[in-house]
Amino acid sequence: MPETVDFPPPEGAGRAASGDAPAPARQWPLLSVLALAALGLLTVGVHPFEAAFRVGTVMVGAALVGGAVLRRTVPSVGMLAVRSRFTDMVTYGVLGVAIVLFALMIQPRPWLDIPVLQSVVHSTVP
């Protein structure tokens, strides 16, 4: 069976800083997305105020949307590049927007009211 040798890296997977920069500086796009997501998860876990679950979840979704924006605007994003630029942008963006929308619609007392989505949820959940 033939052996697969060289896979080309994803478009834009080069270092975000020069090679002589320390490792965290070379991966700043990925670290910024991970830091915001971790801060959101910490907010949810520690629950320091009443709306912490909603705010933390919005932060996680915003981190993904930020990843989509970074993938679009920064030419080299290091390990934030997983697939093609288009696939990464769509995946990060759609998941991020969905998480933010769901976080804003969480019951009780939702911050956002979208009747179409509420009727879908009420028809699927017994």
Side-chain angles (χ1 to χ4, degrees):
M1 177 172 247
E3 186 177 315
T4 305
V5 179
D6 290 321
F7 281 107
E11 173 189 0
R15 294 176 175 153
S18 67
D20 58 345
R26 291 192 306 262
Q27 296 298 330
W28 70 265
L30 176 66
L31 292 176
S32 62
V33 170
L34 290 176
L36 184 56
L39 185 61
L41 292 173
L42 185 66
T43 303
V44 170
V46 173
H47 201 67
F49 50 92
E50 183 183 346
F53 179 77
R54 190 181 316 259
V55 171
T57 308
V58 167
M59 290 169 67
V60 170
L64 287 171
V65 171
V69 170
L70 284 173
R71 190 68 174 101
R72 173 71 178 118
T73 58
V74 178
S76 293
V77 293
M79 292 186 345
L80 188 62
V82 178
R83 301 281 181 192
S84 71
R85 187 177 306 271
F86 177 78
T87 302
D88 285 346
M89 287 181 349
V90 169
T91 303
Y92 294 149
V94 168
L95 290 175
V97 167
I99 290 171
V100 168
L101 284 175
F102 289 139
L104 295 177
M105 295 176 62
I106 292 172
Q107 297 290 333
R109 298 181 306 278
W111 291 356
L112 180 65
D113 183 26
I114 302 176
V116 172
L117 292 179
Q118 283 183 352
S119 65
V120 169
V121 169
H122 287 298
S123 66
T124 59
V125 177

